[in-house]
Amino acid sequence: MAPRPYWKGHLKLSLVTCPVSLTPATTESEKVRFHTINSETGHRVRSRYVDAETGKPVADEDEVRGYETEEGQHVIIEDEELEAVGLESTRTIDIDQFVQADTIEWIWYDTPYYLMPDDEVAQEAFAVIREAMAATGMVGISRLVLSRRERAVMLEPRGKGIVLWTLRYGDEVREPDEIFGDKEERKPEQRLVKLVQTLIEDQTTTWDPSLVKDPVQGRLKEIIESKQKKKAKKPAKPKKGEEPEVPSNVVNIMDALKKSISQEKKGRR
């Protein structure tokens, strides 16, 4: 069963407009989630906002947004004021700029969505925009309100549809020099580099989603199913000798690489 669209609105490029729908490209529906339970009653625990000073619960209508200007001092911002500085339309993706697809680095990408035409009439206009971007190697830049937050978005043609990525804002991305700038670069020995290249070649495979399968989720589901059958067993603790060997701080890199390559070749045989 196809997932329901997360958002519906219009895609607009100059005078060309068509209705579209937006669906998350990723899902966590299969992920094991836990609730906080009262162990005495078995009932779920509900969280409530309380006043930090008085400890009394705060009614929904009394909850407002505040920006802290100094310790203990806040400027209150009303919902109407937030809406006034946002987009005029929360239901239109208006593409007003294009950039080369390969000029946006991966670190700016945030969350992916699939963008598709919402009806048969919209398919032609949608396809024209998509194919024109694909032919020129361009991606569209726009803005969109999702979950009451205005986001910068990038539209990338992909197959029959368009992938819409929400982008991080400029002040959310650290410059690499902030982290790497003071580090002195050490040139490695070429013979060591060649050994690592050999190891990479031996371990190269074809991409498959199973390579990033989460084994913990599968084990949790087994435990839950076991408890449902009232035959719960505590997870077995690893036996002595099964724990991964902790490498010492002093390592002969050449010997380690040669040993790794040798083990890899034996495993392939």
Side-chain angles (χ1 to χ4, degrees):
M1 183 178 178
R4 297 179 59 185
Y6 174 73
W7 176 93
K8 286 190 176 186
H10 288 82
L11 177 63
K12 183 175 182 292
L13 174 59
S14 187
L15 301 178
V16 180
T17 304
C18 62
V20 292
S21 63
L22 200 63
T23 304
T26 59
T27 178
E28 294 187 349
S29 62
E30 298 299 319
K31 193 172 183 179
V32 175
R33 297 181 180 276
F34 297 103
H35 297 295
T36 303
I37 306 295
N38 184 336
S39 62
E40 294 185 1
T41 64
H43 301 156
R44 286 182 59 177
V45 175
R46 184 177 63 182
S47 59
R48 301 178 67 183
Y49 283 107
V50 298
D51 189 294
E53 298 296 328
T54 65
K56 295 181 179 180
V58 179
D60 292 345
E61 60 270 19
D62 293 330
E63 294 173 12
V64 296
R65 292 179 176 84
Y67 179 83
E68 189 171 33
T69 54
E70 55 183 278
E71 188 174 356
Q73 300 295 319
H74 295 82
V75 172
I76 304 301
I77 304 296
E78 303 293 343
D79 288 345
E80 294 78 8
E81 293 174 305
L82 286 175
E83 293 172 0
V85 298
L87 287 175
E88 292 182 3
S89 174
T90 61
R91 290 294 167 188
T92 300
I93 305 171
D94 190 354
I95 308 176
D96 53 7
Q97 290 178 313
F98 291 91
V99 299
Q100 287 287 343
D102 57 1
T103 59
I104 303 180
E105 295 185 82
W106 62 269
I107 200 168
W108 295 95
Y109 292 19
D110 191 6
T111 305
Y113 296 84
Y114 291 135
L115 188 69
M116 293 291 292
D118 197 37
D119 57 37
E120 292 185 5
V121 177
Q123 289 183 2
E124 183 177 7
F126 182 89
V128 167
I129 296 173
R130 181 195 64 213
E131 293 304 311
M133 285 196 294
T136 56
M138 296 287 184
V139 293
I141 303 298
S142 185
R143 294 186 299 161
L144 176 64
V145 174
L146 292 172
S147 301
R148 299 189 68 181
R149 183 185 177 190
E150 186 176 313
R151 306 297 304 263
V153 297
M154 180 193 79
L155 291 86
E156 177 186 18
R158 181 76 61 85
K160 297 179 181 179
I162 291 175
V163 174
L164 181 146
W165 282 90
T166 58
L167 300 176
R168 294 182 174 92
Y169 285 120
D171 57 0
E172 294 178 325
V173 177
R174 290 193 174 102
E175 288 295 331
D177 288 345
E178 293 182 29
I179 311 300
F180 305 131
D182 297 334
K183 302 293 182 181
E184 182 180 351
E185 186 176 4
R186 181 178 176 181
K187 296 293 184 181
E189 295 182 35
Q190 283 304 306
R191 58 175 183 162
L192 297 179
V193 174
K194 290 181 179 179
L195 283 174
V196 173
Q197 288 175 340
T198 301
L199 189 59
I200 291 172
E201 290 171 1
D202 289 341
Q203 294 182 343
T204 297
T205 185
T206 302
W207 163 254
D208 187 274
S210 63
L211 295 175
V212 289
K213 186 176 181 181
D214 186 354
V216 174
Q217 293 293 308
R219 182 66 185 122
L220 284 173
K221 290 179 181 179
E222 290 177 5
I223 294 173
I224 292 169
E225 185 178 351
S226 176
K227 285 181 175 291
Q228 284 180 319
K229 295 178 179 178
K230 298 183 180 180
K231 294 181 180 179
K233 294 181 181 180
K234 292 184 178 179
K237 294 183 179 179
K239 298 178 181 179
K240 291 183 178 179
E242 291 183 355
E243 295 182 3
E245 183 179 346
V246 179
S248 62
N249 290 331
V250 182
V251 179
N252 185 312
I253 300 177
M254 179 67 77
D255 290 344
L257 288 173
K258 288 181 177 179
K259 186 176 180 180
S260 297
I261 294 171
S262 176
Q263 290 178 347
E264 182 66 24
K265 289 181 177 179
K266 287 180 181 179
R268 288 184 178 275
R269 293 196 191 100

